[in-house]
Amino acid sequence: MPYAGNVSMTSERPLRHVAVLTLGCKLNLAESENWALELRRRGIAVSDRPVAADAYIINSCSVTHVADRKSRHLVRLARRLAPEATVVLTGCFAESAGPRASELGADLLVANAEKAAAVRRLLELRPTTPVVGASTAHRTRAFVKAQEGCNDVCAFCIVPRTRGRERSRAPAEVVREVCSREDEGYREVVITGTQLGAWGRDFLLPARPADLIRAVLEESTVPRVRFSSLQPQDIGDELLALWQDPRLCRHFHLALQSGCDATLRRMRRRYSIAQYAEALARIRVAVPDVAVTTDVMAGFPGESDAEFAESLAFCRQAGFAGMHVFPYSRRPGTTASLLPGHLPSLEVRARVALLLQEAERSARDFRGRFVGRMLPALWEQRVSRPNGRAAWEGLTDNYLRVRVETDADLGGRVTAVRLVRDEGDALLAVPVEAGAEVGGVPCAPRAVSRLSSPAASCW
Ligand code: SF4
């Protein structure tokens, strides 16, 4: 990737405030969080929204043409918000766009392979002046990268080209980062990667994701560990047995892409619908009340009405807790872009709408199962209620968004609540007992973290 741009007009001013803007996957989130922590440790204020700043690090995405458009937009927006600022562009769009990325006006392009050094590269260009009292927002969930790259060749996917071959971080390195996140006050870590199920495959002595999870559970005390995307072929008894540990969040993101075997074959996915259904069933048997979320694509080249109907029907019976629905997006350089049978965008949009309806229905079904139940939630942000009352919003370990009306400061804490009503976008809850917290209450974490049935109350 070319080194582009000059910073002569902006480099004199001390760097006090950086906006780290992130698009795309959890891996991008993990990297952006690392930069934010690195900058904060140097006393530099960090924002994760497009505001006026001294510099920007834009962590772009190229998974769809919409992601490309958003990446371009962020570079232009940063330039508009602060014409003198230093703009660093990295991520998959910068990687796949090549020379087009440097024409956008970024001052510095950083390749995916050099991403870890993005802050150092920025600081080489801009001096810093420590700022006292840099923000200490509630730290709830930290994304920790365990793996990067993918050796698979799904027909629609640009990621192997932008992220390269599979590379796993050593377990000790991952555990070290998890422990430092906990020391910084995070209550939950999300272990993430491009192809997490491939973690350890590239070691001299190959290892499996179960080995990594075991290491994190045994060598850290972080209250909640969430494992991000896996594929059906990664689901096995050894892995599932680890979910006996109440610190492991009962949430699996199992990308489906299509509910039709013929489409899966053309997508070059490495599982059949029967294998996917079996993995789903095994997860649900091993982990009660588990949330399974997924990614589904509509409009893959050659997807006939019958194939789409089959895909939709499978999603209906699968009963997902959440579905990310994507329209197929033609990516230059992918084999799918050369396939015949690309569908008119109107047809693709119609199919996306049907999948979104199903996503809404199955998510509502999943939420409805927990009304009346008691669950612990990690509180993330204060929200205001239509009735003017103070409230907090958070997430249960099984991926339910919940909110509770309280004047207490619940930021970054895990407390148990009773879920009383589905409000459509979240479940309204009431505190089980005012002030009772997992961290602070005398109840053993085991009892608290898996308080699912009303009968199991220890209050
Ligand atoms: S598994 Fe397929 S979709 Fe996922 S990153 Fe690899 S090539 Fe892309």
Side-chain angles (χ1 to χ4, degrees), residues 10-164:
T10 62
S11 61
E12 304 315 314
R13 239 177 51 198
L15 194 62
R16 288 194 177 84
H17 177 202
V18 176
V20 177
L21 309 178
T22 311
L23 294 171
C25 62
K26 290 191 179 71
L27 197 52
N28 269 12
L29 277 170
E31 290 151 349
S32 295
E33 246 176 44
N34 283 341
W35 299 328
L37 279 161
E38 205 179 333
L39 290 162
R40 285 200 184 101
R41 282 197 196 116
R42 296 163 185 266
I44 297 169
V46 178
S47 307
D48 59 3
R49 305 181 188 294
V51 292
D54 299 320
Y56 298 82
I57 304 180
I58 296 170
N59 200 354
S60 66
C61 173
S62 189
V63 79
T64 64
H65 65 276
V66 175
D68 280 0
R69 197 172 59 228
K70 287 181 180 169
S71 302
R72 287 193 295 272
H73 168 68
L74 279 184
V75 178
R76 296 195 184 107
L77 179 59
R79 193 47 81 213
R80 237 188 357 265
L81 285 167
E84 306 250 319
T86 304
V87 177
V88 178
L89 177 61
T90 185
C92 294
F93 167 74
E95 199 77 30
S96 64
R100 281 181 298 119
S102 48
E103 286 149 20
L104 280 173
D107 296 294
L108 180 63
L109 297 180
V110 176
N112 270 347
E114 300 162 48
K115 261 182 156 176
V119 169
R120 181 171 56 71
R121 299 283 302 280
L122 170 60
L123 296 176
E124 280 163 7
L125 303 175
R126 297 289 302 273
T128 60
T129 308
V131 176
V132 181
S135 76
T136 54
H138 286 302
R139 296 179 177 161
T140 52
R141 175 168 310 104
F143 293 86
V144 174
K145 175 159 87 173
Q147 185 273 353
E148 184 172 4
C150 181
N151 297 356
D152 285 5
V153 281
C154 299
F156 53 80
C157 185
I158 196 90
V159 175
R161 282 190 48 201
T162 57
R163 287 273 184 185

Side-chain angles (χ1 to χ4, degrees), residues 50-332:
V51 292
D54 299 320
Y56 298 82
I57 304 180
I58 296 170
N59 200 354
S60 66
C61 173
S62 189
V63 79
T64 64
H65 65 276
V66 175
D68 280 0
R69 197 172 59 228
K70 287 181 180 169
S71 302
R72 287 193 295 272
H73 168 68
L74 279 184
V75 178
R76 296 195 184 107
L77 179 59
R79 193 47 81 213
R80 237 188 357 265
L81 285 167
E84 306 250 319
T86 304
V87 177
V88 178
L89 177 61
T90 185
C92 294
F93 167 74
E95 199 77 30
S96 64
R100 281 181 298 119
S102 48
E103 286 149 20
L104 280 173
D107 296 294
L108 180 63
L109 297 180
V110 176
N112 270 347
E114 300 162 48
K115 261 182 156 176
V119 169
R120 181 171 56 71
R121 299 283 302 280
L122 170 60
L123 296 176
E124 280 163 7
L125 303 175
R126 297 289 302 273
T128 60
T129 308
V131 176
V132 181
S135 76
T136 54
H138 286 302
R139 296 179 177 161
T140 52
R141 175 168 310 104
F143 293 86
V144 174
K145 175 159 87 173
Q147 185 273 353
E148 184 172 4
C150 181
N151 297 356
D152 285 5
V153 281
C154 299
F156 53 80
C157 185
I158 196 90
V159 175
R161 282 190 48 201
T162 57
R163 287 273 184 185
R165 307 277 300 165
E166 290 161 3
R167 310 176 297 290
S168 307
R169 293 178 77 196
E173 215 185 312
V174 176
V175 168
R176 216 177 9 258
E177 190 170 330
V178 167
C179 294
S180 78
R181 290 290 172 277
E182 189 184 357
D183 296 344
E184 279 142 14
Y186 288 93
R187 312 290 283 164
E188 178 179 311
V189 292
V190 183
I191 308 294
T192 187
T194 311
Q195 174 67 295
L196 205 49
W199 181 88
R201 261 197 322 230
D202 52 317
F203 290 157
L204 274 182
L205 285 177
R208 290 182 302 276
D211 302 319
L212 176 63
I213 298 175
R214 205 175 289 114
V216 169
L217 291 174
E218 287 169 3
E219 297 161 38
S220 86
T221 55
V222 68
R224 298 196 347 177
V225 178
R226 199 177 294 275
F227 214 62
S228 80
S229 312
L230 289 170
Q231 301 218 37
Q233 58 272 30
D234 304 326
I235 306 299
D237 293 343
E238 183 202 7
L239 183 91
L240 290 175
L242 293 168
W243 262 260
Q244 296 307 308
D245 189 316
R247 294 165 56 209
L248 268 177
C249 293
R250 296 168 297 172
H251 174 209
F252 285 75
H253 188 77
L254 210 61
L256 173 70
Q257 301 302 359
S258 172
C260 163
D261 274 327
T263 312
L264 286 178
R265 278 193 295 277
R266 289 198 310 283
M267 286 177 165
R268 301 221 303 240
R269 297 291 280 174
R270 293 193 298 123
Y271 51 84
S272 66
I273 286 303
Q275 287 164 323
Y276 189 97
E278 195 224 334
L280 199 53
R282 290 173 76 176
I283 291 170
R284 287 179 170 151
V285 168
V287 189
D289 292 333
V290 68
V292 179
T293 55
T294 195
D295 300 329
V296 188
M297 184 182 290
F300 186 76
E303 187 186 57
S304 64
D305 292 352
E307 286 183 4
F308 176 70
E310 208 179 311
S311 182
L312 185 59
F314 181 79
C315 292
R316 283 207 176 103
Q317 97 199 22
F320 292 113
M323 292 164 58
H324 297 159
V325 177
F326 300 90
Y328 166 72
S329 175
R330 193 174 199 154
R331 309 280 53 226

